[in-house]
Amino acid sequence: MTNYLVMQAARFGDLVQTKRLILTLQARGQVHLLLDKALVPLARLIYPQCICYPFHFHGKIDLDSVAQNRQVLANLATLHFDEIYNCNYSPMTSAICRMFESEIFG
């Protein structure tokens, strides 16, 4: 199965605007969605077929948040993605992108 990673680090409106991309990718394979932890319940309603990874992109970052982020990144590092889409070009998402081969970015 083809696996896609979509990084959507922004807020609600951006998550909804990503729908066209996500639905297109879902027609081709499994979509993994990395997004702010606050949006995960909503994302699961909008995109029930996506595998959601809660990440602390916004808000107060404490030791627990860092530990949770490290676990998410460790999980993502074990997966094979055929294409990755970075929907928000921030320092954090750019750093996450460097975990993967540059040839797979859509």
Side-chain angles (χ1 to χ4, degrees), residues 33-90:
L33 183 58
L34 177 67
L35 68 160
D36 189 73
K37 65 176 181 63
L39 292 178
V40 170
L42 179 61
R44 287 185 174 141
L45 288 174
I46 300 172
Y47 311 115
Q49 302 301 320
C50 286
I51 299 171
C52 295
Y53 299 92
F55 201 81
H56 295 266
F57 282 111
H58 306 287
K60 181 183 175 190
I61 303 295
D62 55 19
L63 289 178
D64 288 337
S65 301
V66 171
Q68 291 169 9
N69 281 357
R70 287 183 70 189
Q71 183 61 51
V72 169
L73 295 175
N75 289 343
L76 291 176
T78 67
L79 300 173
H80 167 77
F81 295 107
D82 297 283
E83 290 183 11
I84 297 176
Y85 294 85
N86 182 6
C87 296
N88 306 98
Y89 292 94
S90 69

Side-chain angles (χ1 to χ4, degrees), residues 10-36:
R11 299 292 186 180
F12 171 74
D14 295 299
L15 181 63
V16 173
Q17 289 178 348
T18 309
K19 189 166 189 166
R20 183 184 219 174
L21 170 64
I22 291 174
L23 292 178
T24 299
L25 296 176
Q26 282 180 330
R28 300 177 191 161
Q30 179 65 59
V31 176
H32 300 255
L33 183 58
L34 177 67
L35 68 160
D36 189 73

